[in-house]
Amino acid sequence: MANSRRVSRVSSQIKREVGQMLIHGIKDDRVGAGMVSVTDVDVSGDLQHAKIFVSIYGTEDAKAETMEGLRSATSYVRYELGHRMQLRRTPEVTFLEDRSLERGDRLLDLMNKISQDRPLAEVEEEEYGKIVSAQDNE
């Protein structure tokens, strides 16, 4: 079992190497259908499995096509990682789509829409009323 510091270093190196492969190494046209970036890499404690989280910018069809291309390139990515990294065993690679950026974007849009719909004075007055009524109930 590797210590957490080593797992962290291996994770960041895999992230860096896969990012380079996305730019220069993977020749599959499906991977170029959407703009792809590696957001995170989760490596198991025994360094045998690596989940690579990718963020894909584009339409839903482009995202699906890109994920299909990445899944078909897993053997190539694992092979290249084995050559580029100095590990006893190269981890099994799994690509997963990271949609957290989209969710955050949607949440910010909703918050902006709410703040535009309601004037600030109205919100402050309503919040003040809630605080006063809560204190009266105590």
Side-chain angles (χ1 to χ4, degrees), residues 67-118:
M67 283 305 295
E68 187 178 318
L70 286 173
R71 287 191 182 107
S72 70
T74 54
S75 59
Y76 168 77
V77 170
R78 185 171 187 222
Y79 173 80
E80 281 295 314
L81 284 175
H83 282 286
R84 295 179 184 198
M85 297 176 66
Q86 310 249 316
L87 295 172
R88 184 170 292 152
R89 291 187 183 157
T90 307
E92 291 286 330
V93 174
T94 306
F95 284 101
L96 300 168
E97 187 175 358
D98 185 6
R99 293 189 176 254
S100 62
L101 295 174
E102 292 174 16
R103 285 193 302 267
D105 229 9
R106 190 174 24 190
L107 184 62
L108 284 174
D109 286 343
L110 287 173
M111 290 172 63
N112 286 336
K113 185 177 179 186
I114 288 171
S115 68
Q116 289 173 356
D117 290 346
R118 297 174 62 185

